[in-house]
């Protein structure tokens, strides 16, 4: 499957109630065309977390129309290891301008 990068952002790993937290909101999601109530499935694999946007997704983007929020928190984020930063890479995998895949990977490189 061919993937085209639409955007890439680096953020610091945060913690909530002892678990790693990865999140993005507002301008980052707006730039990528991600809106409140968009549905997605989360796939955890070795060294990364993939967010696949699909109408039948089990989870959804929270927030408001003006400020969508993607907030991931939990033990599953341990796949990021001891990294201080994570990179969010937004892709589309079909011939459109819409994001349908987000990959979250550990990084120590701060852009």
């Amino acid at each position: 499957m061919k993937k085209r990068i639409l955007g890439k952002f680096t953020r610091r790993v945060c913690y909530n109630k002892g678990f790693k937290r990865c999140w993005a909101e507002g301008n980052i999601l707006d730039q990528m065309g991600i809106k409140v109530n968009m549905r997605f499935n989360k796939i955890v694999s070795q060294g990364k977390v993939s967010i696949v946007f699909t109408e039948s997704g089990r989870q959804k983007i929270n927030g408001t129309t003006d400020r969508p929020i993607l907030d991931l928190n939990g033990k599953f984020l341990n796949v990021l290891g001891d990294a201080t930063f994570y990179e969010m890479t937004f892709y589309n995998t079909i011939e459109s301008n819409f994001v349908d895949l987000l990959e979250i990977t550990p990084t120590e490189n701060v852009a």
Side-chain angles (χ1 to χ4, degrees), residues 11-52:
R11 303 195 43 102
R12 181 179 293 276
V13 173
C14 299
Y15 291 86
N16 182 26
K17 298 180 182 175
F19 294 107
K20 289 183 180 180
R21 179 179 182 223
C22 295
W23 62 280
E25 65 180 340
N27 289 341
I28 290 175
L29 298 182
D30 278 342
Q31 288 176 33
M32 296 298 108
I34 297 172
K35 306 293 182 202
V36 70
N37 293 324
M38 282 181 69
R39 302 204 66 86
F40 64 89
N41 288 319
K42 172 181 67 189
I43 301 170
V44 180
S45 59
Q46 189 63 32
K48 72 178 176 182
V49 176
S50 299
I51 303 298
V52 180

Side-chain angles (χ1 to χ4, degrees), residues 16-104:
N16 182 26
K17 298 180 182 175
F19 294 107
K20 289 183 180 180
R21 179 179 182 223
C22 295
W23 62 280
E25 65 180 340
N27 289 341
I28 290 175
L29 298 182
D30 278 342
Q31 288 176 33
M32 296 298 108
I34 297 172
K35 306 293 182 202
V36 70
N37 293 324
M38 282 181 69
R39 302 204 66 86
F40 64 89
N41 288 319
K42 172 181 67 189
I43 301 170
V44 180
S45 59
Q46 189 63 32
K48 72 178 176 182
V49 176
S50 299
I51 303 298
V52 180
F53 291 95
T54 175
E55 289 181 15
S56 60
R58 295 184 67 206
Q59 296 177 281
K60 69 177 182 173
I61 299 295
N62 295 313
T64 64
T65 304
D66 295 332
R67 189 171 162 244
I69 299 171
L70 171 65
D71 194 354
L72 303 172
N73 181 30
K75 198 180 268 189
F76 70 92
L77 289 173
N78 287 342
V79 300
L80 300 179
D82 294 329
T84 305
F85 295 90
Y86 60 94
E87 193 165 76
M88 302 179 94
T89 307
F90 295 83
Y91 299 93
N92 69 348
T93 56
I94 54 177
E95 298 302 318
S96 74
N97 292 321
F98 300 103
V99 169
D100 54 9
L101 176 65
L102 162 60
E103 289 183 344
I104 301 169

